[in-house]
Amino acid sequence: EEPDEYWVIVQFKHCTLTDSVGLTGGFTSLYFPNSFTPNKDAINEIFKPYGEGIISSNFKIFTRWGELIFESNNMNVGWDGAFNEVKSPQDVYVYVLEYTTICSGDSKWKKYGQVLLLR
């Protein structure tokens, strides 16, 4: 993204100072599908977050009983609908994404939700 340029003018007694500052960064977005179909038809095979401006992430999938069945620290690696190489049943699963963005500094944000695995 191109930087935006802002001008600052400061006046003190008989002196006027001007300077410009370029600001970059800014845009972030985050999206999660609400369902996926890992049935080997090459459509909606993997469940993962999609976003821009995400610096780091930790993505987890849990069963409805709280069992951790998937974890990734790479936004490009998603869940294929299996646990220990065994197909998980059609059901609703819970996801948690802990992440930082280009705007969050050291603060981590969390996003919770549910996804429907369809077979």
Side-chain angles (χ1 to χ4, degrees):
E1 182 176 316
E2 292 295 317
D4 290 328
E5 187 173 55
Y6 295 90
W7 284 90
V8 178
I9 301 172
V10 177
Q11 291 183 323
F12 181 72
K13 294 188 181 184
H14 299 294
C15 184
T16 301
L17 301 171
T18 62
D19 200 356
S20 65
V21 176
L23 300 177
T24 60
F27 185 74
T28 61
S29 67
L30 185 59
Y31 166 76
F32 289 87
N34 59 10
S35 62
F36 76 118
T37 56
N39 57 8
K40 305 219 184 287
D41 68 355
I43 301 171
N44 300 318
E45 295 293 318
I46 302 293
F47 175 69
K48 66 180 182 174
Y50 296 89
E52 293 182 47
I54 309 298
I55 301 293
S56 66
S57 65
N58 177 258
F59 183 50
K60 296 177 182 177
I61 305 288
F62 297 89
T63 66
R64 65 174 61 220
W65 299 278
E67 179 184 11
L68 177 65
I69 58 173
F70 176 80
E71 183 172 14
S72 174
N73 290 317
N74 183 338
M75 284 275 291
N76 295 317
V77 176
W79 182 43
D80 65 358
F83 176 59
N84 289 334
E85 299 183 25
V86 175
K87 290 181 183 179
S88 297
Q90 179 169 307
D91 205 346
V92 174
Y93 294 84
V94 175
Y95 65 81
V96 177
L97 178 69
E98 187 174 52
Y99 62 102
T100 60
T101 71
I102 58 177
C103 296
S104 66
D106 292 335
S107 298
K108 291 184 179 179
W109 296 350
K110 284 188 179 181
K111 178 76 173 176
Y112 303 88
Q114 299 176 344
V115 62
L116 176 60
L117 186 158
L118 295 169
R119 293 268 179 216

